[in-house]
Amino acid sequence: MRFFKKTDIIIILVIIAASLVVWGAYRHATRKEPPRAEIYHYSQLVKIIDLDKGEDLVFSIAEEPDVVFHLYPDGSICFEESDCPDQICVHTGRISAPGQFAACLPNGITMKITTGDDADTPDLVIGGRQED
Amino acid sequence: MQKKIKMQPLNIYQSKGRTHTIVLTGLLFATSIVLSLLEGMLPPLPIAVPGVKFGLSNIAVMYALFFIGPLPAYGIAILKSAFVVVTRGMVAGLLSLSGGLLSITLMLILYFLLKSRVSYVIISVTGAISHNLGQFAVIALIYVGASVWFYLPVLIISGVASGILTAVLLKAVLPAIRHWFK
């Protein structure tokens, strides 16, 4: 058994290319729908924010006033501030594409980007779980 | 470049008995914890995906898998997840467990199915990618809505990078390990 073979490069490149193709197809399929952010507090949907309105908004949810969100005019949203110790949610940065998510586990808050105006109708067949 | 490097299994399990195996597994478990602590001290990667890391502790798991046996490798993964549960909570432990078990299983399959035709780098890359995917599966289950399709390139490319890194590091430290564990 060898440490490294030349065919490894081909195998690796094919895997990377395949993942990029899937990613491209996914972006293409979700391109047309207006994205929105859904904010959950312990699995309870507490707020829905439309991302395509071009607003600049700093807000927090009533359940957790110490967690501050920031919606940017370019349609991205992030955890601006949080009182949690690990700050993973803040470090995740701005998210804007359908399927992206950010979470603040210590506060039980998750935020995900979805598409479509009706969450009950799946409008993307290849997608896994983003329409649940 | 293409010369066969000395990576023949030591077969400690048969030659030196159970106690030796248990001690070695314990040492490797300690090594994996030290490696993941070391990794925690490094600056965070500029990737906005939770759970993507170098996976340095996979070096210990891979060593166990290649040179001791499948059971000690699973043992290290499970013990390490238990350690993560204690130190970083249930969710992190679950992530560690799912990633670890999936990656060992796939590396095992590859190792035994294609024994001579597959390289260590590919096994390592497989392990790293499947570790990422296993973790992400749990993330997707917890935060229903996280789309694996969007994150797939990140998971794959970071898996390739960390897989190559761990393989090279393992190769680099192998002479030292062999010297100590003779």
Side-chain angles (χ1 to χ4, degrees):
Chain A
M1 200 163 150
R2 283 171 186 190
F3 178 72
F4 178 76
K5 283 159 87 173
K6 273 182 191 139
T7 44
D8 292 355
I9 299 173
I10 300 164
I11 298 173
I12 288 169
L13 286 180
V14 166
I15 295 172
I16 291 176
S19 71
L20 287 174
V21 166
V22 170
W23 186 82
Y26 175 78
R27 289 310 302 269
H28 185 79
T30 55
R31 188 181 39 144
K32 292 230 165 68
E33 286 120 45
R36 61 180 196 185
E38 294 178 354
I39 297 169
Y40 294 82
H41 183 252
Y42 290 105
S43 308
Q44 214 71 37
L45 182 59
V46 291
K47 207 171 182 84
I48 297 177
I49 305 277
D50 285 318
L51 296 180
D52 54 347
K53 297 279 185 285
E55 284 172 293
D56 200 324
L57 195 62
V58 178
F59 62 97
S60 58
I61 56 172
E63 288 81 355
E64 212 61 66
D66 291 328
V67 179
V68 181
F69 302 89
H70 191 166
L71 171 68
Y72 290 89
D74 65 353
S76 61
I77 190 166
C78 73
F79 280 90
E80 180 111 313
E81 251 176 62
S82 168
D83 58 346
C84 61
D86 54 16
Q87 298 286 309
I88 288 175
C89 49
V90 178
H91 288 142
T92 303
R94 288 153 72 159
I95 57 172
S96 58
Q100 277 189 299
F101 72 101
C104 184
L105 283 190
N107 285 312
I109 298 176
T110 58
M111 172 165 71
K112 67 177 183 185
I113 313 291
T114 57
T115 59
D117 24 45
D118 191 355
D120 296 326
T121 20
D123 49 4
L124 183 68
V125 184
I126 60 155
R129 316 187 55 93
Q130 69 278 7
E131 296 298 336
D132 289 20
Chain B
M1 192 65 189
Q2 287 296 307
K3 79 174 158 80
K4 205 160 182 174
I5 58 159
K6 278 176 276 170
M7 272 182 138
Q8 260 73 45
L10 293 173
N11 249 338
I12 288 161
Y13 197 81
Q14 281 142 11
S15 61
K16 301 226 173 143
R18 282 188 66 195
T19 314
H20 195 279
T21 308
I22 291 168
V23 170
L24 201 50
T25 307
L27 280 172
L28 284 170
F29 168 52
T31 312
S32 75
I33 287 178
V34 170
L35 284 173
S36 57
L37 284 178
L38 197 75
E39 193 176 316
M41 290 175 199
L42 299 173
L45 293 176
I47 301 173
V49 183
V52 169
K53 293 185 298 181
F54 289 119
L56 290 183
S57 61
N58 203 31
I59 295 174
V61 174
M62 264 172 58
Y63 181 85
L65 185 62
F66 292 151
F67 301 111
I68 311 178
L71 273 180
Y74 278 114
I76 291 169
I78 292 168
L79 283 173
K80 198 172 157 266
S81 310
F83 186 78
V84 173
V85 168
V86 172
T87 53
R88 279 161 49 209
M90 203 63 211
V91 175
L94 209 61
L95 289 180
S96 167
L97 187 69
S98 66
L101 293 187
L102 185 70
S103 98
I104 293 174
T105 308
L106 285 184
M107 286 196 287
L108 254 184
I109 292 171
L110 217 59
Y111 185 52
F112 284 107
L113 274 189
L114 303 165
K115 208 150 195 171
S116 56
R117 277 171 290 169
V118 75
S119 69
Y120 282 96
V121 168
I122 280 292
I123 291 188
S124 175
V125 165
T126 307
I129 292 177
S130 52
H131 197 276
N132 283 351
L133 291 180
Q135 283 199 332
F136 201 87
V138 172
I139 290 177
L141 280 178
I142 295 172
Y143 317 122
V144 185
S147 161
V148 72
W149 306 113
F150 183 83
Y151 289 108
L152 198 61
V154 186
L155 299 176
I156 300 263
I157 292 170
S158 68
V160 167
S162 62
I164 292 174
L165 182 74
T166 42
V168 169
L169 283 176
L170 179 61
K171 193 192 171 195
V173 298
L174 205 58
I177 299 179
R178 286 176 165 275
H179 183 69
W180 293 330
F181 291 155
K182 229 184 295 182

